[in-house]
Amino acid sequence: MLRLIVGALRSRPGRFWMTVGGIAVCTVLVLALQATHRSVAASVRTYLGQPGMDLWVAPRGSDNFMRSSALLADGMADSLLFVEGVAAAHPVARAFVTVKSARGQGPNVRRLALMGVGYRAPDGLGGPPMLAKGRAPSRRNDVVLDRAAAWRLGAAVGDTLWINGRGGIVTGLAEGTNLLATHLVFANLSAVAGMSGIRGRASFVIVRVAPDARTDVVADAIRERFPALNVFARGEFLAANLREIGAGFLPVLSLIGLLGVLAAGSLIALLSHAVVEQSRTEIAILLALGSSVRRIGAALIGEALLLVGIGFVTGFVMIRALDAALARWWPVVLLPVSSDGAAMVLTLFVTAGAFAALLPLLGLRHIDPLEAFRP
């Protein structure tokens, strides 16, 4: 039976490989969406999960870094130093800024809206998590630019940028700060505060807890002394930010992922149905000789799973090659595929393929074994 199905498929190799190609494209689509969300989530973890950033102190009503707009009172970081167990308290100013490249004129000037992060450079908490090139800011007009933003602006280390109308020198390129919808640019706290008109204020204060103190105890002490503030442990604050980015990504990811799985299942169903229709006479002979519908169906399912396997492996190789190409020539979007994510997509495709292969079995019941003996 398996040889019959394979023979029917090989008699139309173009159709077979078109189906494999369709499944491969569906694989690339679903894995790319999944990897895009994974890339953004990884950037959030890389920045907010840096060592020493034990507590985040925020204004009332703010629970995440991505969409915060409220500000803390002037001098709040210094006030937190009087709380027992606080080893360091560093203010961070966050504001969206318009960045323009100094290259080009008029309509040829490249510009981006970036998330400016001001911190006590060069060694304060809240700075860039890692540098691909260059050094951290030290002077007032020094900036570290996300590597993807630098590519989009056509900027390199040593170049001049205009940030909210003020000049800045790119001293370094950061890794792990690509949020896709926007990118981070790091500068001295006073520079970002001046650019955004919030001098002396901060969006958050990052607290490093003393080695001999417990994080939860210090957090409770801050809440007791400053009841108007929100205090989050690092893991809690990170989870809130991941929820925030997931609120925008996950519905789209789920919808397009479902459409991709349905498309792959439909391709398998169409090919399986074509095989059944093309091989009606051969199947009628097998039925007349005593073969069961179950055996024929098992062969169809086996061939469908073979299609899924070839298509998935092809798609997986394609997306790994695409990720390597993007990292080299277009680093704005990265597609890191995880083994867990790939296994989940393969499971969905196998399930859809097996179910789709079962559909043509309904047509087998209408094949009369006498067809084998008709002229």
Side-chain angles (χ1 to χ4, degrees):
M1 186 63 237
L2 183 58
R3 286 196 298 269
L4 171 66
I5 300 298
V6 171
L9 287 167
R10 289 181 177 176
S11 67
R12 297 289 190 275
R15 185 166 55 190
F16 176 84
W17 289 110
M18 285 179 64
T19 304
V20 168
I23 296 172
V25 171
C26 292
T27 300
V28 171
L29 172 65
V30 177
L31 287 178
L33 287 169
Q34 184 187 77
T36 300
H37 177 263
R38 176 183 173 84
S39 175
V40 176
S43 293
V44 172
R45 291 190 181 94
T46 299
Y47 177 63
L48 299 181
Q50 295 182 70
M53 296 164 56
D54 301 317
L55 294 172
W56 286 78
V57 178
R60 179 69 68 187
S62 297
D63 67 348
N64 70 87
F65 188 84
M66 302 301 151
R67 299 187 186 276
S68 171
S69 59
L71 297 172
L72 294 168
D74 188 10
M76 180 54 66
D78 294 334
S79 299
L80 289 171
L81 291 174
F82 293 98
V83 177
E84 186 177 357
V86 173
H90 292 185
V92 172
R94 169 203 170 280
F96 281 99
V97 294
T98 300
V99 181
K100 294 191 295 184
S101 172
R103 300 179 180 180
Q105 297 293 330
N108 296 322
V109 173
R110 299 185 182 183
R111 67 183 68 201
L112 288 176
L114 303 179
M115 187 184 294
V117 179
Y119 72 109
R120 288 178 175 171
D123 300 320
L125 298 173
M130 61 186 77
L131 293 176
K133 290 182 180 180
R135 59 172 177 82
S138 57
R139 296 168 298 182
R140 180 179 173 83
N141 65 335
D142 290 349
V143 299
V144 165
L145 194 61
D146 177 80
R147 190 169 71 94
W151 187 91
R152 294 178 66 181
L153 288 166
V157 174
D159 285 356
T160 298
L161 298 175
W162 294 102
I163 306 174
N164 280 4
R166 301 189 180 190
I169 305 298
V170 179
T171 62
L173 301 182
E175 289 274 16
T177 54
N178 182 2
L179 302 180
L180 195 61
T182 188
H183 313 288
L184 303 186
V185 55
F186 298 89
N188 195 285
L189 177 65
S190 59
V192 172
M195 293 171 186
S196 53
I198 56 173
R199 291 184 185 277
R201 310 288 294 275
S203 305
F204 302 93
V205 173
I206 306 174
V207 172
R208 184 171 68 239
V209 175
D212 57 346
R214 287 176 46 184
T215 301
D216 56 339
V217 173
V218 176
D220 289 340
I222 295 174
R223 294 188 188 101
E224 182 178 354
R225 184 160 182 171
F226 302 98
L229 301 181
N230 285 338
V231 184
F232 303 96
R234 177 171 49 190
E236 183 184 5
F237 193 66
L238 177 57
N241 283 271
L242 291 174
R243 283 196 304 270
E244 184 65 30
I245 64 166
F249 271 98
L250 292 180
V252 176
L253 173 66
S254 301
L255 175 60
I256 301 182
L258 176 62
L259 293 176
V261 172
L262 291 176
S266 298
L267 288 170
I268 295 169
L270 288 172
L271 185 63
S272 299
H273 178 74
V275 169
V276 171
E277 289 302 312
Q278 178 184 335
S279 308
R280 287 181 67 90
T281 301
E282 291 86 348
I283 292 175
I285 293 174
L286 290 171
L287 292 173
L289 294 175
S291 294
S292 65
V293 172
R294 180 179 298 178
R295 288 187 62 193
I296 298 172
L300 284 172
I301 292 174
E303 207 54 38
L305 296 183
L306 177 62
L307 281 170
V308 170
I310 297 174
F312 179 84
V313 171
T314 303
F316 186 81
V317 172
M318 289 169 61
I319 196 169
R320 292 299 296 269
L322 179 60
D323 181 40
L326 289 174
R328 181 171 182 177
W329 290 299
W330 197 55
V332 176
V333 178
L334 300 178
L335 301 175
V337 179
S338 68
S339 56
D340 291 344
M344 182 185 72
V345 173
L346 178 59
T347 300
L348 289 174
F349 275 35
V350 165
T351 303
F355 178 77
L358 289 174
L359 296 179
L361 292 180
L362 300 176
L364 293 180
R365 295 181 302 175
H366 303 295
I367 296 179
D368 187 350
L370 293 178
E371 289 188 26
F373 305 101
R374 290 174 184 170

